[in-house]
């Protein structure tokens, strides 16, 4: 067996965190090799090492048995490695041809007719068709994906890394993509497929490597695994036994989401008629891989993303057309996903940040004014709740570490009489104790009559802390069977779309 | 302090010193002339304050927009529109009522002149810098046209309105002959203090600054960034209009072609140098006033007054790059 | 009529050269409100140096001066990461003040005669050729493609192995050269330098660039249109409206057209997507 790529004992640390811990990967020449794992398992980091975009702390990269050290991506590209990232590298303002050749134009003056000829040959080889002079912005997601593959061919890539290539494709487009990949492989190319979707692995790949928490878990021929066993390898065995959670007393429906349709930033329907009910006092966890629609759901609930149809009610009050200001005043609270961009104003003091989003609520607002003594008292409450370590409430937010910012932001959302708490990764950047504290506080508020909807990419965290878990996959919510409501494997399968 | 920044400051000073040496004036001598001409006597200081007043009020206008994350380069045009309207109203309605009405109309005019830029920014994503620059030129040409034609004083040789009646002018607050203190500067200082208070104590001030500091986080905090941008731009224009009214009512007594010697541009510098607190507008505008007034004395000594603009330009670059460094080093 | 068209072409020439300078800057992602300052600096230096080094030497020195100032814009926006608008403003201030100072100091007050200058026809030819060269470059030039990529999405451009910061350096160098020629043209027209002689032409050039949707040929056409408006204004001189000379209001037409365009009344907004990004 000849290996096109061998990564041997790769380790990579970011600060104190080990993103990759002695990971090895051998990819057979002329095959499609799947690399699977949860968010944060280290898949993309490993591929960035291979692409020369990251330098490993230790370990060796071999191509065709020859050791190589790539200083940067340009270096890797020259050695026949190509990568298509999740969000594509197509620049809409350029024509298709210009996108194809960008960075490999072959001289200061582009010989357009020759370039087109070669482009057509490449396209023909793959069974694609392109109008090379049209603007790339007119491309559909499938068209963009095809162009990405031609870009790899244009650069004579022999090893092709595809990171979540089907994330934006329809099922039929995905099939077409795999047909082209098989064709490439038959011609001698080697493909590494990074994916969350197990059916793709089962149907199209020869070998599958599983990473979890930056470690190599296993590497098997696909013929030796089932999607069920694979899902178990991906999520792993639980470290802790999920506690038995007493059933929530039925106090009525706190959040009623009925058939909402929401578009993503690319104007595609991402939630297509989603339903969800949360009982008063209940903590509901949404499990799922990143990008399944959790973000859009939360934004729609907060009122910063348009709901095209369907309705949302909180405590029997329909809020579908309310402004976010009104929803916040009504008692909606958010622990935002992206702390830096959405949760805090980094240049501002802790005290000013303490009231962000609460500035129009009693007792902070007194007629037109902000009550300074109340703001100060409130900031103290927020900082003390989870013992945020800080150098004074007048210090700018950016002087705090990530974990301390998270404590602050979580406390801010919980302490001012919330009705419904939307928590996106509420324990991001916190240790086990910090995590437990934040969830305990959420639960305490729910006991007092609030409800919570929690998104996390860590299934264990949800299993331990939530009353109920639903899985989200490609914009759809899937309820586990009652007898499997706390079954890690079963939920894991729902998350990745396995049977 | 970063080595590059030190180099930048040194570079700016070197430019200045070289310029002066070329002019055959010793840098020490020039500095002395500059300060004597602007602060050396009560009369000189009065002149400096007179230069400072419009810069302070206009700087205030730029500053409000800046805090909402908008560059109002259009204060020049809004100032001209305000001044023209104030002169027009003041000539028709006399006395204290005329004064109040002039200020009010000038403020509205300034707001309306700034409004398209705010709307285009918020709802069409057209850069406010470009629209306000264009609006400046339209204001310049249009007010020129008005004083050349419809508003021109009968029988006047130059393009100018008639003079306002004495009772339609705002008298000096203190006028001892040697020293004169106008109302404008006081209005400017009061405005700065009010703005400072408004930004620190009111919910609206808080939300406006949130939009300027992080529009995305503001959105998630239930703040309507677009509405606030439109309002901030209009408010900024309104203040510039008021500055125009005061320039007519308190100092010039009329509107004429070439009314603004570039106050609008200097006001941008004032707001940029003011830093994080509105109070900083006061020293910043005074600095510009000193350079403007002192520059005239320099010119009398054979140093073309352009040298002060070069120094201001260099200072703006240095201040802006230092701000970036300090933000970055906090990471 | 022929006279008007000839005049229009002459009026359009500095606008077009400056607008092409704006193109190589903004297409690469750098907002440039400093075109006015670059032109002014070149005009002043051209006038000063023509007296010593002859017509061609004057133009060369003028172009060099505006190129250096343009590279200052690159330094401050790309290396010091100053806001592009602030940097542009500072450059305008430095140019306005600097030319006032330099001309006040170095012009020979005894020599009130006309300067020896390059014939304006050379500039007119350049103003016609440059847009076509840039258009060809945008289609067939490696530089053109990379410039467009840097201005649309610098991150993706970097991913494809190009260096946006370097591309922008050459873009701004071209900006300096084109604006320098525009400034020299102004001096050639009247054979003298006067304080603030650009009188807002840099901003009209920017307006033409916006109207042209940041594309060379449409921008060129917009400049011709503005040139034609200016030529008509000269023809209309003396005509009265409400007791004022018509040119006063006439001159604001380019600006009004641009505002309407920015408000989106002439189709979609074509602003380069990555403008102002690092």
């Amino acid at each position: 067996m000849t290996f096109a790529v061998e990564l041997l004992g790769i380790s990579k640390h970011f600060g104190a965190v080990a993103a990759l811990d002695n990971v090895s990967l051998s990819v057979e020449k002329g095959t499609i090799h799947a690399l699977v794992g949860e968010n944060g398992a280290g898949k993309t980091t490993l591929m960035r090492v291979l692409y020369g975009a990251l330098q490993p702390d230790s370990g060796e990269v071999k191509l065709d048995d020859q050791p190589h050290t790539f200083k940067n991506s340009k270096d890797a590209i020259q050695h026949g490695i190509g990568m298509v990232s999740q969000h594509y590298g197509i620049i809409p303002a350029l024509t298709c041809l210009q996108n194809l050749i960008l960075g490999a134009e072959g001289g200061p003056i582009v010989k357009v007719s020759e370039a087109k000829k070669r482009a057509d040959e490449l396209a023909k080889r793959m069974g694609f068709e392109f109008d090379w002079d049209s603007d790339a912005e007119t491309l559909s997601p499938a068209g963009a994906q095809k162009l990405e593959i031609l870009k790899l061919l244009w650069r004579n890539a022999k090893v092709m890394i595809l990171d979540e290539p089907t994330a934006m494709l329809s099922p039929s487009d995905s099939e077409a993509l795999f047909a082209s990949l098989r064709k490439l492989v038959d011609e001698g190319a080697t493909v590494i497929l990074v994916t969350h979707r197990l059916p793709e692995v089962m149907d199209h790949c020869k070998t599958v490597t599983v990473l979890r928490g930056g470690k190599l878990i296993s590497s098997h021929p696909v013929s030796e695994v089932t999607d069920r066993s694979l899902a178990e390898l991906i999520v792993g065995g639980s470290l802790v036994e999920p506690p038995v959670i007493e059933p929530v007393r039925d106090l009525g429906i706190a959040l009623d989401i009925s058939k909402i349709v929401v578009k993503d930033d690319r104007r595609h329907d991402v939630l297509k008629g989603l339903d969800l009910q949360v009982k008063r006092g209940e903590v509901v966890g949404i499990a799922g891989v990143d990008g399944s629609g959790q973000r859009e759901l939360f934004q729609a609930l907060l009122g910063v993303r348009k709901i095209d149809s369907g309705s949302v009610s909180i405590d029997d009050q329909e809020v579908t057309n309310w402004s976010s200001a009104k929803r916040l005043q009504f008692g909606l609270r958010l622990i935002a996903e992206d702390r830096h961009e959405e949760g805090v104003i980094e240049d501002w003091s802790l005290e000013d940040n303490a009231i962000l989003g609460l500035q129009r609520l009693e007792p902070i607002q007194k007629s037109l004014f902000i009550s300074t003594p109340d703001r100060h008292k409130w900031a103290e409450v927020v900082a003390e709740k989870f013992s945020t370590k800080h150098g004074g409430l007048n210090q700018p937010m950016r002087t705090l570490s990530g974990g301390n910012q998270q404590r602050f932001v979580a406390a801010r959302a919980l302490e001012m009489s919330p009705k419904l708490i939307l928590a996106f990764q509420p324990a991001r950047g916190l240790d086990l104790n910090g995590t437990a504290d934040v969830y305990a506080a959420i639960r305490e508020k729910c006991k007092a009559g609030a409800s919570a909807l929690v998104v996390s990419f860590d299934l264990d965290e949800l299993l331990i802390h939530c009353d109920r878990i639903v899985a989200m996959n490609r914009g759809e919510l899937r309820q586990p069977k009652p007898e499997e409501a706390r079954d890690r494997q079963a939920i894991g399968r729902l998350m990745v779309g396995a049977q | 302090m970063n080595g590059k920044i030190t180099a930048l400051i040194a570079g700016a000073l070197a430019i200045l010193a070289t310029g002066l040496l070329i002019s055959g004036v010793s840098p020490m001598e020039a500095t002395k002339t500059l300060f004597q001409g602007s602060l050396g006597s009560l009369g000189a200081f009065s002149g400096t304050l007179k230069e400072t007043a419009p810069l302070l009020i206009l700087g205030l206008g730029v500053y409000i927009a800046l805090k909402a994350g908008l560059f109002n380069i259009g204060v020049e045009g809004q100032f001209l529109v305000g001044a023209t309207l104030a002169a027009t109203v003041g000539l028709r309605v006399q006395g204290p009522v005329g004064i109040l009405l002039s200020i009010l109309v000038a403020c509205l005019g300034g707001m309306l002149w700034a409004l398209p830029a705010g709307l285009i920014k918020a709802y069409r994503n057209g850069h406010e810098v470009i629209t306000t620059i264009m609006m400046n030129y339209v204001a310049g040409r249009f007010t020129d046209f008005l004083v050349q034609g419809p508003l021109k004083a009968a029988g006047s040789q130059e393009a100018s309105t008639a003079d306002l009646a004495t009772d339609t002018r705002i008298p000096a607050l203190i006028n001892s002959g040697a020293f004169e203190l106008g109302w404008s500067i006081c209005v400017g200082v009061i405005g700065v203090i009010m703005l400072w208070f408004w930004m620190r104590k009111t919910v609206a001030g808080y939300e406006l600054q949130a939009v300027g500091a992080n529009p995305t986080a503001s959105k998630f905090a239930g703040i309507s960034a677009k509405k606030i941008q439109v309002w901030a731009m209009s408010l900024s224009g309104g203040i510039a209009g008021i500055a125009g009214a005061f320039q007519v009512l308190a100092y010039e007594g009329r509107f004429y072609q070439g009314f603004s010697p570039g106050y609008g541009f200097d006001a941008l510098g004032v707001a940029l140098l003011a830093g994080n607190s509105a109070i900083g507008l006061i020293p910043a505008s005074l600095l510009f006033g000193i350079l403007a007034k002192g520059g005239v004395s320099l010119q009398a000594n054979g140093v073309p007054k352009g040298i002060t603009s070069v120094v201001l330009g260099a200072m703006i670059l240095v201040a802006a790059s230092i701000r970036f460094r300090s933000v970055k080093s906090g990471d | 009529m022929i006279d008007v068209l000839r005049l229009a072409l002459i009026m359009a020439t500095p606008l077009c050269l400056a607008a092409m300078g704006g193109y190589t800057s903004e297409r690469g992602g750098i907002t440039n409100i400093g075109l006015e300052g670059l032109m002014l600096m070149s005009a002043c230096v051209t006038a000063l140096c023509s007296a010593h080094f002859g017509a061609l030497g004057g133009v060369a020195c003028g172009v060099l001066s505006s190129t250096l100032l343009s590279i200052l814009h690159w330094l401050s926006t790309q290396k010091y990461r100053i806001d592009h608008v602030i940097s542009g403003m500072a450059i305008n201030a430095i140019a306005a003040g600097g030319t006032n100072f330099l001309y006040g100091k170095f012009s020979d007050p005894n020599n009130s005669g006309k300067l020896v200058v390059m014939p304006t026809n050379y500039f007119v030819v350049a103003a016609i050729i440059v847009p076509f060269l840039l258009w060809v470059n945008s289609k067939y030039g490696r530089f053109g493609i990379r410039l467009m990529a840097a201005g649309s999405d610098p991150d993706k451009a970097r991913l494809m192995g190009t260096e946006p910061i370097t591309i922008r350096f050459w873009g701004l160098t071209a900006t300096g050269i084109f604006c320098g020629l525009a400034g020299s043209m102004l001096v050639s027209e009247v054979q003298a330098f006067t304080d603030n002689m650009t009188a807002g032409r840099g901003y009209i050039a920017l307006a033409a660039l916006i109207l042209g949707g940041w594309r060379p040929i449409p921008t060129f056409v917009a400049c011709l249109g503005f040139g034609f408006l200016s030529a008509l204004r000269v023809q209309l001189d003396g005509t009265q409206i409400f007791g004022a000379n018509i040119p006063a209001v006439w001159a604001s037409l380019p600006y009004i057209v641009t505002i309407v365009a920015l408000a989106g009344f002439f189709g979609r907004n074509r602003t380069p997507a990555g403008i102002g990004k690092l």
Side-chain angles (χ1 to χ4, degrees):
Chain A
M1 201 184 293
T2 52
F3 292 117
V5 175
E6 280 175 286
L7 297 168
L8 302 172
I10 305 283
S11 292
K12 176 74 190 172
H13 288 74
F14 294 111
V17 185
L20 292 174
D21 182 6
N22 194 23
V23 174
S24 297
L25 173 71
S26 300
V27 183
E28 195 185 331
K29 206 182 184 85
T31 64
I32 304 181
H33 188 117
L35 186 59
V36 297
E38 287 184 303
N39 289 105
K43 301 170 306 231
T44 303
T45 311
L46 187 64
M47 290 302 101
R48 283 169 64 85
V49 167
L50 176 57
Y51 192 54
L54 277 180
Q55 310 308 316
D57 298 337
S58 61
E60 198 181 10
V61 178
K62 277 187 178 176
L63 299 181
D64 293 327
D65 253 356
Q66 296 296 311
H68 284 284
T69 318
F70 298 134
K71 288 193 296 289
N72 50 37
S73 299
K74 213 173 175 175
D75 224 10
I77 292 170
Q78 275 167 4
H79 284 88
I81 298 187
M83 179 155 160
V84 180
S85 72
Q86 243 178 83
H87 302 289
Y88 303 158
I90 304 283
I91 296 174
L94 300 181
T95 66
C96 292
L97 185 71
Q98 289 173 336
N99 265 297
L100 181 75
I101 65 177
L102 177 65
E105 298 88 345
I109 292 164
V110 180
K111 299 183 183 70
V112 171
S113 55
E114 278 177 38
K116 270 188 195 161
K117 214 170 125 198
R118 185 170 165 225
D120 278 331
E121 278 166 21
L122 294 177
K124 207 171 157 195
R125 208 170 107 198
M126 298 305 302
F128 301 161
E129 220 173 302
F130 273 96
D131 174 5
W132 293 111
D133 291 326
S134 66
D135 286 339
E137 68 181 341
T138 60
L139 289 176
S140 63
Q145 183 62 261
K146 286 174 184 166
L147 186 53
E148 286 287 3
I149 288 176
L150 293 184
K151 273 166 76 176
L152 297 178
L153 295 179
W154 180 267
R155 284 163 185 74
N156 296 316
K158 290 190 275 297
V159 176
M160 306 178 179
I161 307 164
L162 286 89
D163 194 352
E164 297 288 347
T166 57
M168 296 178 200
L169 299 186
S170 69
S172 61
D173 287 334
S174 302
E175 281 307 313
L177 170 71
F178 281 106
S180 352
L181 290 182
R182 271 198 303 269
K183 192 178 273 177
L184 286 171
V185 166
D186 290 343
E187 290 171 13
T190 305
V191 174
I192 303 177
L193 179 74
V194 178
T195 186
H196 283 306
R197 298 192 179 155
L198 299 191
E200 290 173 0
V201 178
M202 302 312 297
D203 295 349
H204 304 293
C205 300
K206 183 163 182 214
T207 320
V208 54
T209 297
V210 181
L211 296 187
R212 194 194 318 140
K215 291 195 173 69
L216 176 70
I217 299 302
S218 75
S219 214
H220 288 294
V222 169
S223 55
E224 292 174 13
V225 293
T226 61
D227 64 351
R228 212 181 157 91
S229 65
L230 209 47
E232 282 162 21
L233 286 171
I234 290 171
V235 290
S238 184
L239 298 171
V240 272
E241 203 48 37
V244 179
I245 288 178
E246 18 179 324
V248 178
R249 284 186 299 137
D250 202 345
L251 296 172
I253 302 297
L255 171 68
D256 188 0
I257 303 172
S258 167
K259 297 197 170 39
I260 57 167
V261 175
V262 173
K263 286 190 171 62
D264 65 10
D265 291 336
R266 298 160 56 96
R267 310 291 306 147
H268 298 297
D269 283 351
V270 58
L271 306 181
K272 305 160 192 154
L274 179 136
D275 286 305
L276 178 67
Q277 293 189 330
V278 177
K279 285 184 233 163
R280 192 162 295 142
E282 195 177 28
V283 182
V284 173
I286 298 181
V289 295
D290 195 2
S292 298
Q294 303 99 322
R295 189 163 302 132
E296 288 79 6
L297 173 63
F298 267 35
Q299 290 177 357
L301 290 177
L302 183 67
V304 296
R305 185 176 286 275
K306 197 170 164 282
I307 297 175
D308 288 334
S309 68
S311 70
V312 176
S313 301
I314 302 173
D315 282 358
D316 296 328
Q317 167 69 53
E318 171 153 0
V319 302
T320 320
N321 296 318
W322 283 14
S323 69
S324 16
K326 203 169 171 190
R327 293 180 203 208
L328 289 166
Q329 272 171 301
F330 189 65
L332 190 65
R333 297 288 179 271
L334 172 76
I335 300 175
E337 173 192 10
D338 183 344
R339 219 168 29 224
H340 301 284
E341 272 302 305
E342 302 164 356
V344 300
I345 295 178
E346 299 223 302
D347 286 342
W348 281 13
S349 69
L350 269 65
E351 190 169 326
D352 281 331
N353 270 296
I355 62 168
L356 189 65
L358 310 170
Q359 70 274 8
R360 289 192 179 272
L361 294 171
E362 286 285 334
I364 304 299
Q365 181 177 20
K366 294 257 157 65
S367 72
L368 292 175
F369 300 97
I370 289 173
S371 163
T372 329
D374 285 302
R375 176 178 63 187
H376 189 75
K377 259 184 266 163
W378 168 246
E380 282 177 342
V381 170
V382 170
E384 275 165 27
K385 175 73 187 172
F386 297 124
S387 331
T388 301
K389 285 194 195 62
H390 61 87
L393 292 173
N394 56 356
Q395 291 296 304
M397 197 48 147
R398 68 179 130 78
T399 58
L400 263 58
S401 70
N404 279 311
Q405 286 191 0
Q406 188 66 25
R407 287 188 173 87
F408 194 84
V409 168
R412 182 179 68 191
L414 295 177
E415 287 303 290
M416 201 172 275
S417 46
K419 269 202 182 81
L420 175 65
I421 301 156
L422 301 177
F424 205 113
Q425 300 242 68
R428 194 179 206 177
L430 299 184
D431 57 17
L432 281 177
N433 285 331
T435 306
D437 285 349
V438 169
Y439 277 102
I442 292 178
R443 180 155 297 286
E444 184 193 321
K445 291 294 155 189
C446 290
K447 279 219 172 86
S451 329
L453 195 56
V454 184
V455 165
S456 175
F457 303 134
D458 182 346
L459 186 50
D460 277 327
E461 191 179 302
L462 297 176
L463 280 166
I464 295 170
H465 300 292
C466 296
D467 294 315
R468 182 157 69 89
I469 297 173
V470 291
M472 199 166 199
N473 179 242
R474 310 196 79 173
E476 280 168 21
L477 285 180
R478 298 167 76 180
Q479 312 271 355
K481 291 177 201 138
E483 67 274 18
E484 292 178 339
R486 307 203 78 75
D487 183 329
R488 200 162 194 292
Q489 259 60 15
I491 297 170
R493 285 196 296 275
L494 293 178
M495 277 165 54
V496 291
Q499 296 309 305
Chain B
M1 189 175 284
N2 189 294
K4 282 183 184 170
I5 297 295
T6 320
L8 245 175
I9 294 175
L13 289 175
I15 295 170
L16 180 61
T18 318
L20 292 168
L21 289 171
I22 289 171
S23 312
V25 180
S26 89
M28 285 298 290
E29 201 63 31
T31 315
K32 213 171 130 195
T33 313
L34 187 82
F35 284 107
Q36 285 228 304
S38 55
L39 302 171
S41 66
L42 279 177
F45 186 54
S46 305
T48 299
L49 287 182
K50 190 186 162 199
E51 288 292 330
T52 305
L55 295 179
L56 179 58
I57 306 181
L58 287 172
L60 190 68
V62 178
Y63 192 79
I64 286 190
L66 206 56
K67 279 287 158 181
L70 299 168
F71 253 121
N72 182 5
I73 293 199
V75 286
E76 175 88 4
Q78 294 139 19
F79 174 81
L80 289 175
V81 167
T84 313
L85 286 170
T88 312
V89 173
L91 283 170
R92 282 159 185 76
V93 187
Q94 295 187 347
V97 181
I99 292 179
L100 283 178
L101 200 61
S102 300
I103 296 175
L104 193 70
V105 171
C107 175
L108 279 175
M111 287 180 88
L112 284 177
W113 204 257
L115 186 63
L119 289 174
I120 290 175
K121 166 75 180 182
Y123 299 103
R124 297 286 177 157
N125 200 22
H127 204 305
E128 77 281 2
V129 165
I130 307 293
T131 38
T132 51
I133 288 175
M134 302 296 150
M135 290 298 276
N136 275 348
Y137 276 94
V138 178
R141 309 288 190 216
F142 190 64
T143 55
D144 280 357
F145 157 75
L146 288 177
V147 284
Q148 285 170 11
L151 297 180
K152 189 175 170 185
S156 167
Q157 289 301 309
E158 50 172 341
S160 165
T161 66
D163 286 332
L164 292 178
T166 325
D167 67 344
T168 326
R169 294 193 191 190
I170 301 173
L173 191 61
I174 300 170
N175 190 351
S176 68
F179 179 67
E180 195 181 325
L181 179 67
W183 267 105
S184 311
I185 192 99
C186 300
V187 167
V189 172
I190 293 168
V192 166
I193 294 169
M194 279 169 58
L195 178 68
W196 177 78
F197 180 82
W198 184 79
M199 295 253 208
R200 287 173 61 96
K201 300 286 183 186
T202 67
V203 176
Y206 177 88
E207 293 190 337
L208 178 128
Q209 292 176 82
V211 170
N214 185 341
T216 314
S218 307
K219 194 171 82 174
F220 283 87
I223 300 168
S224 168
K226 289 183 194 302
K227 260 185 219 158
I228 285 185
Q229 284 178 334
V230 174
W231 272 109
M233 197 48 131
S234 305
L235 197 60
S236 173
I239 292 172
I242 292 175
F246 270 91
Q247 196 67 4
V248 167
L249 300 169
Y251 288 123
E252 304 283 359
R254 65 191 179 118
F255 183 82
Y256 53 90
Q257 188 166 356
F259 187 77
S260 167
Y263 287 136
F265 174 76
D266 286 354
L268 292 168
V270 169
L272 288 175
L273 289 182
N276 278 330
S277 166
I279 303 296
L281 288 165
I282 297 172
S285 60
L286 198 59
L287 175 70
F288 274 70
I290 288 170
L291 283 173
K293 183 68 172 59
V296 178
S297 311
L298 267 184
Q299 191 156 27
N301 282 15
V303 184
K305 68 175 190 304
I307 190 87
T308 57
S309 297
V310 178
V311 174
L312 284 178
M315 275 192 330
I316 288 172
L317 281 183
V318 173
S321 63
I322 288 176
R323 195 162 305 167
F324 163 68
R325 294 285 146 182
S326 65
V327 168
K328 211 186 172 210
S329 62
D331 281 351
Chain C
M1 195 59 200
I2 296 298
D3 277 354
V4 176
L5 289 180
R6 226 190 83 78
L7 191 59
L9 200 56
I10 293 205
M11 295 285 203
T13 296
L15 296 182
C16 177
L17 287 168
M20 292 308 129
Y23 169 82
T24 58
S25 169
E26 300 216 333
R27 199 62 265 184
I30 297 186
T31 310
N32 205 333
I33 62 168
L35 303 179
E36 177 88 0
L38 299 183
M39 280 169 87
L40 191 58
M41 182 54 84
S42 163
C44 172
V45 174
T46 303
L48 285 175
C49 291
S50 296
H52 297 282
F53 308 121
L56 190 61
V59 173
C61 292
V63 167
L64 183 67
S65 67
S66 70
T67 306
L68 289 177
L69 205 54
S70 189
I71 289 172
L72 175 65
H73 190 47
W74 177 80
L75 262 182
S76 55
T77 56
Q78 303 298 301
K79 292 289 178 192
Y80 290 93
R81 305 199 177 189
I82 296 175
D83 183 284
H84 298 188
V85 171
I86 295 179
S87 170
M89 267 170 47
I91 277 167
N92 283 336
I94 289 169
T99 52
N100 169 282
F101 175 83
L102 288 174
Y103 207 73
K105 269 291 129 193
F106 294 110
S107 63
D108 185 357
N110 302 322
N111 182 4
S112 57
K114 302 267 180 174
L115 289 166
V116 184
V117 293
M118 291 279 278
T120 52
N121 286 347
Y122 287 100
F123 295 100
V124 174
V125 171
I128 294 170
I129 291 175
V130 168
F132 283 91
L133 281 180
L134 287 177
W135 174 73
V136 169
N137 174 53
S138 75
K139 292 275 169 204
Y140 303 100
R142 179 172 67 188
F143 175 68
I145 294 172
R146 292 187 175 187
L147 187 70
M148 188 96 131
S152 301
D153 196 326
D155 290 330
K156 286 180 183 168
R158 223 169 275 128
L159 206 68
M160 295 320 299
T162 67
E163 290 278 0
I165 231 180
T166 315
I167 306 282
R168 287 167 171 175
F169 175 84
W170 294 112
L172 276 180
T173 303
T175 304
I177 294 171
F178 295 144
C179 289
L181 290 175
S184 299
M185 164 72 185
L186 294 180
V187 174
S188 285
E189 241 182 295
V190 293
Q191 294 168 314
F193 175 81
T194 49
D195 219 27
N196 192 27
M197 76 184 297
T198 43
R201 283 184 184 83
Y203 297 113
I204 299 195
L206 206 55
L209 183 63
I210 293 165
L211 277 182
W214 287 266
R215 293 166 297 172
I217 304 297
T219 302
F220 174 63
V221 173
C223 288
L224 288 180
F226 288 165
F228 188 66
L229 283 180
S230 304
L232 277 185
R233 190 185 71 206
V234 175
Q235 297 289 305
L236 287 169
D237 205 3
T239 321
Q240 302 271 306
I241 175 169
F242 297 118
N245 219 343
I246 277 192
V249 251
W250 191 262
S252 60
L253 275 174
Y255 305 110
I256 294 175
V257 173
T258 306
I259 293 168
V260 174
L262 277 167
F265 291 114
F266 300 155
R268 74 196 168 112
N269 188 338
R270 289 176 180 271
T271 313
I275 204 159
K277 282 188 197 156
L278 291 171

